[in-house]
Each structure stands twice: as structure tokens, then as C-alpha cells.
Amino acid sequence: MKRILITGCLIVACASVSSAQTLQDYSGSYLCKLAASAGLRLNAQSQTWNGVTFDVTNSSVLMKITNTNKTGSSQIYPEFGKYSVAFKDFGSTGKAQDCVSNYASAKFTSEVPIIEGRLECNFFATTYRVNLQTNRIQITFDGGYMDDWKENQDTPYIAVGVCDKVS
């Protein structure tokens, strides 16, 4: 009986080590070139919102993913890696915006899970969704329309593009 119990414990321990070793590390810097964007824009004169297509010909975003060497789990996913994720406009000299997530947590945290190559995180009214297996990015900005400013410059939008790992 003792031998069976020890063997069972060793199998569980080996399985835990094996699953921890199979987590892919997504750390690195990525250049995400936007391909299309559309949204809403306020016509200040008529005070009406109109659909608009934005020119993103020269628009790119830098994404920096840093491994925190922490893992998490949920009811659906037994284990996933947690990362620090930050975005900034390509060419911007400002600080990158750190993303937060509340996946499998009661509060927002800067530890963003990457599950099966996918991440989703937020900064202010912006949501970033990235699939690192297909190299696709989707950015949505929800601000603007709900504000009651009469000359609102915020424009709710959605943008999509492709990311390439650069380091």
C-alpha cells in the first residue's frame, strides 16, 4: 500500500512539473501594424455622431510582453502563464501603457494571463486583444460617445492589425 501511495505521488509530481515545463514563453517585443479602423466621430456643428473609417496607413503599436514567472489557473484552464503587458504608439516618446486584467480574479491586476497564445487586457477605456498564434491584434476604444461634452474629441473605434515579434 505504501509503495502504491508513493508511486501515485510521484506520478502527480511528475505531471505537475511536466505541465509547468510545457507552458510557452511569449516574452518579447512586438510591432503591430494596423490594417483597418472604423468608429464614430462627433460632428460638432450638428451635434450628431457619424460612422467614419480612419486612415491607419502609417499606424503601428509596440507591444512589450514580460514574463512574471507566475502562473494561474481557472475552471477552464488548469494552468497559464502570467505576464506584464504594455502598449504604446510606434514612434511615441511617452511611456508605454501598462495593461491590467481581471481574468480569474476579483480585481484588476497587472499580471495578464496568456492562455493558448491569447491575451486580453485593458488600459483606461481601451481593450487590447491579441492572438499570438495567428499574430492578430484587435483594439477597441469605448470612450467618447457616453461623455456629454459638446465638442468631444474622443472617437469610439475598433482597429485590427498584424503583429510581428521583433525581439
Side-chain angles (χ1 to χ4, degrees):
M1 181 67 173
K2 187 175 180 182
R3 182 178 284 168
I4 293 171
L5 184 60
I6 290 172
T7 304
C9 288
L10 285 173
I11 290 171
V12 169
C14 288
S16 296
V17 170
S18 173
S19 76
Q21 291 173 346
T22 61
L23 286 178
Q24 184 174 344
D25 186 1
Y26 294 99
S27 296
S29 295
Y30 298 78
L31 178 63
C32 302
K33 175 76 175 116
L34 300 183
S37 181
L40 302 171
R41 178 176 286 151
L42 176 67
N43 180 318
Q45 194 171 29
S46 66
Q47 289 297 295
T48 58
W49 287 87
N50 301 300
V52 62
T53 301
F54 298 108
D55 181 8
V56 292
T57 305
N58 296 314
S59 299
S60 296
V61 176
L62 290 174
M63 175 177 59
K64 173 85 172 173
I65 299 176
T66 306
N67 196 334
T68 64
N69 295 313
K70 296 180 182 178
T71 60
S73 64
S74 70
Q75 288 180 320
I76 300 169
Y77 300 100
E79 187 173 34
F80 51 78
K82 293 183 177 183
Y83 296 81
S84 170
V85 181
F87 291 90
K88 77 179 208 174
D89 291 334
F90 180 71
S92 167
T93 58
K95 181 185 178 310
Q97 303 163 341
D98 294 322
C99 263
V100 296
S101 174
N102 66 344
Y103 181 81
S105 173
K107 61 181 179 179
F108 282 95
T109 175
S110 60
E111 295 173 352
V112 177
I114 298 183
I115 300 169
E116 296 179 347
R118 295 174 178 260
L119 72 87
E120 180 175 328
C121 62
N122 302 290
F123 174 79
F124 190 54
T126 305
T127 300
Y128 297 91
R129 291 180 183 92
V130 182
N131 184 329
L132 296 163
Q133 293 178 342
T134 62
N135 299 324
R136 291 183 174 183
I137 185 169
Q138 177 178 300
I139 305 168
T140 55
F141 176 71
D142 296 331
Y145 180 74
M146 298 304 286
D147 300 333
D148 60 0
W149 304 320
K150 297 294 185 211
E151 294 182 25
N152 197 328
Q153 297 300 307
D154 285 341
T155 56
Y157 70 88
I158 182 169
V160 296
V162 177
C163 298
D164 290 308
K165 189 170 185 177
V166 292
S167 68

